[in-house]
Amino acid sequence: MTGQPWQDSTLPVAERVEALLAAMTLEEKVGQLGSRWLGKDKGATGPAGPEPEDGHQVAPMESDFAAGPALEDASRDGLGHLTRVYGSYPLTVAEGAAEVVRQQQIVMASSRLGLPAIVHEECLTGFTAHGATVYPAAINWGATFDPELIERMAAAIGRDMAALGVHQGLSPVLDVVRDYRWGRVEESIGEDPYLVGTIGAAYVRGLQSAGVIATLKHFAGYSASRAARNHGPVSMGRRELLDVILPPFEAALREGGARSVMNSYSEIDGVPAGADEWLFTELLRDEWGFTGTVVSDYWAIPFLAGNHRVAADNGDAGALALAAGIDVELPDTVGYGAELVDRVRRGEVAEELVDRAARRLLTQKAELGLLDADWTPESSVTGAETVVLDSPANRDLARDLAERSIVLLDPGTALPLAGTGRIAVTGPCADDASTFLGCYAFPNHVLPRYPGVKPEIELPTAVEALRAELPGTEIVYEAGCAVDGGDRSGFAAAVAAAESADVTLAFVGDLAGLFGKGTSGEGCDAAGLRLPGVQADLVEALLATGRPVVVVVVSGRPYALGEFAGRAAALVQAFMPGEEGGPAIAGVLSGRVQPSGRLPVQIPRHPGGQPGTYLQPRLGAEHLGTSSLDPTPLFAFGHGRSYTTFAVDDLRIPATRVPTDGEFTVTVRVSNTGDRDGAEVVQLYLSDPVATVTRPVIQLAGFQRVELAAGAAADVTFRVHTDRTAFTGRDLRRIVEPGELRVLVGTSAADLPCAGVVELTGPVRRAGADRVLSTPVEVRQADS
């Protein structure tokens, strides 16, 4: 159909969408709410290529949904989304672009109206495509405390995706870490809602600057499952949900402008998110004013029937999800198909609900240009001839991010390595660069299904990088053990190497995978926080030599390192630093790179018994003699060392009495007191000593990464609106209470040398959906 009003790009979007809706049958409107994933058929209907290996799943319970209709049949009444064209097979850029064109042509030719589909893809550690740059995992983003850098990374990801016909990215993950045992900690930005929201909003701005829709996930509560089991039920009150879990999503919507949200698999206090009208309509739409699309997590709608059992069948599940406010079903149409049409015809589901969802989806298609008369599948992939998915510029960005994310926990006596003699390198993460990559990186996410296919990106290992970093230094390597399993047969060789070396570098940690195929990642939850397999025993054997041992942890979650504290010659936390992780770690160890990463999660002292994170009321955060379990971490949230030293002092709070609807400023001076240039992250925390509900002992309210030359100083000023002190009161309304407020500034949650008091005066004030969400910071060079 040509020459229709919805194809006229000069008309207002709303007018075009209403004209299109009026022209649609019920079946065509419902068709826009569905999707199709040819990739889950393991290539059977896709391009020719290597035969996949069975048993590797890239989505939960994928094997239970293995079959689906041909794309022509799935598109008979139109189609909303095409799922993971690039992220399902090892395709070249040319093959992937051709497949996008092929699938779009089928979608358009198979339906009366000829509307193209939105193409979505994963993009958590970069564009999930064969040969694309693998950036550090999201936990590393948090470790940078550098939103501007994350925004630049996301913009680069978005440009590559947009050039190849991808319209929507399923990222960022804004789940606030609540239990370190959860497998998806690596995909999360950290354990503090302000850090997660600030970094997440930056990612959204970057991705959407390239014209790619960002999708916030997982809304909400996913990270707080009982015993950290993936998809486990969540025991959480509404207050914790409002104060800890939801603020990052609100920030990414209001300050990032995110245009899509994905539901969580979680059930909170017995109500699955996918069927929660309060969450997706009353809160997200009516209170927050969100106007974009809500998409389901993969098969979350049929899970309402099969897993949660709040629906009798898939049709019932579709009706529940639609009423709750889920607009589009991913990755395939199950609950939003013919049964939904029948229920509308029978009067069991209001057609207005279908119109509501279709209107939102079609609005995005119009905004993306997909309804324009001159749009063609070929025009959407014009970048295929020029785009280089792992360009030098991308790799430079990946390296910068990796270097800024590595956390020097304790330099001890061994670091930096420059000038060190013979070095022994051990541990399973030393000679396997895949341990640097997150579970949604293409080499770890998809290629295990195709064992004969190589990653097509350069992945230097730590051993290789160290040899390049320290030419002329004798470096010997012995693995010692695997990441997982109980084989100790390599211990003897590793110990012998350590005994003959001046220093040993033990690279221990995780190998990301999916659903039990790794030690970190989706569905790879941990029973405890001791290093996987026999790696802790390997470190013990190395320490027993009496020779200096530097422990480098390459992991998706924080592991308990208390048994090594005070015995290791140095401790380094690298998390999962991406394709440039090897050179970045080598640079930090050698001293060429000044470490500046700070912990977005605590490092536990003991492998069990922690309540989770620093964000706890007094009885959860302090050892008061009421329990034999001490929750004090080995290294606090925000901690990180450098090869120089910093001082934070000279606290200034000009106004110490402030009305509950006012603001105050906090200024400190940060000085580089060492002999090397470096960067410090100045952190502002607030503490509410007396409140009508229990409050966290302290909570991050602002931060700023400050670059300083040796001997230089800067004044850092935080502008704090009293909205930043708001919390959810007993009546479940967010309020600002009068009373004393402690102000603390320093370099971690446990290192806060500057302390002051501000008194909030006046009445209790309600802080609504228009409240101030961020703390602006100004940095000025201090007078010498």
Side-chain angles (χ1 to χ4, degrees), residues 65 70 102-103 127 183 269 285 296 422 469 575 702 748-749 783:
F65 299 89
R102 184 184 80 86
Q103 292 190 25
F127 182 13
D269 195 24
R285 302 284 189 183
S296 80
R422 192 172 193 260
E469 183 75 28
F575 294 111
S748 80
D783 296 332

Side-chain angles (χ1 to χ4, degrees), residues 257-282:
R259 299 294 296 140
S260 187
V261 173
M262 175 181 280
N263 80 287
S264 164
Y265 290 123
S266 301
E267 57 185 67
I268 303 177
D269 195 24
V271 180
D276 192 344
E277 189 171 354
W278 170 80
L279 188 64
F280 285 102
T281 298
E282 294 178 29

Side-chain angles (χ1 to χ4, degrees), residues 150-378:
I150 303 310
E151 185 169 344
R152 287 198 289 121
M153 176 199 72
I157 294 170
R159 287 192 295 269
D160 287 343
M161 296 172 75
L164 296 179
V166 178
H167 310 107
Q168 183 163 343
L170 305 187
S171 192
V173 171
L174 299 183
D175 296 300
V176 177
V177 175
R178 300 301 282 163
D179 190 323
Y180 305 137
R181 297 172 297 173
W182 189 48
R184 303 190 82 166
V185 167
E186 64 167 75
E187 300 179 51
S188 306
I189 296 169
E191 66 183 55
D192 180 86
Y194 184 65
L195 175 65
V196 174
T198 302
I199 297 290
Y203 181 98
V204 169
R205 288 192 297 270
L207 193 73
Q208 294 192 164
S209 72
V212 175
I213 294 170
T215 307
L216 311 182
K217 58 188 192 183
H218 308 85
F219 197 69
Y222 189 28
S223 58
S225 58
R226 292 178 194 161
R229 293 182 67 251
N230 194 38
H231 293 216
V234 175
S235 301
M236 178 182 290
R238 184 64 58 87
R239 184 174 294 104
E240 183 178 352
L241 185 70
L242 290 168
D243 283 353
V244 178
I245 301 298
L246 293 177
F249 293 93
E250 193 173 2
L253 292 172
R254 283 184 49 198
E255 301 192 339
R259 299 294 296 140
S260 187
V261 173
M262 175 181 280
N263 80 287
S264 164
Y265 290 123
S266 301
E267 57 185 67
I268 303 177
D269 195 24
V271 180
D276 192 344
E277 189 171 354
W278 170 80
L279 188 64
F280 285 102
T281 298
E282 294 178 29
L283 178 75
L284 180 65
R285 302 284 189 183
D286 298 343
E287 185 174 338
W288 290 1
F290 177 63
T291 60
T293 57
V294 173
V295 299
S296 80
D297 206 342
Y298 285 14
W299 297 301
I301 291 178
F303 283 178
L304 293 175
N307 290 1
H308 298 292
R309 299 190 178 181
V310 296
D313 52 34
N314 290 337
D316 192 22
L320 282 175
L322 186 67
I326 293 181
D327 303 311
V328 183
E329 181 177 16
L330 304 181
D332 269 310
T333 307
V334 179
Y336 281 3
E339 287 190 48
L340 181 58
V341 172
D342 291 343
R343 286 169 185 263
V344 174
R345 297 247 189 257
R346 294 195 300 266
E348 298 172 7
V349 174
E351 188 168 355
E352 288 80 6
L353 293 179
V354 173
D355 291 347
R356 180 181 73 175
R359 181 178 292 109
R360 294 165 180 164
L361 185 280
L362 293 172
T363 296
Q364 289 200 331
K365 286 191 174 183
E367 291 169 345
L368 290 165
L370 297 179
L371 303 185
D372 295 354
D374 60 352
W375 188 94
T376 65
E378 293 81 4

Side-chain angles (χ1 to χ4, degrees), residues 738-762:
E740 181 180 292
L741 186 73
R742 296 186 67 220
V743 178
L744 305 155
V745 187
T747 57
S748 80
D751 184 9
L752 298 167
C754 297
V757 174
V758 170
E759 183 181 357
L760 303 187
T761 63

Side-chain angles (χ1 to χ4, degrees), residues 379-415:
S379 68
S380 71
V381 296
T382 54
E385 298 178 0
T386 57
V387 70
V388 178
L389 287 183
D390 193 29
S391 67
N394 283 4
R395 291 198 73 102
D396 287 345
L397 189 54
R399 183 183 305 113
D400 192 14
L401 205 160
E403 290 177 352
R404 293 191 183 199
S405 70
I406 294 168
V407 183
L408 178 61
L409 298 174
D410 181 2
T413 58
L415 296 182

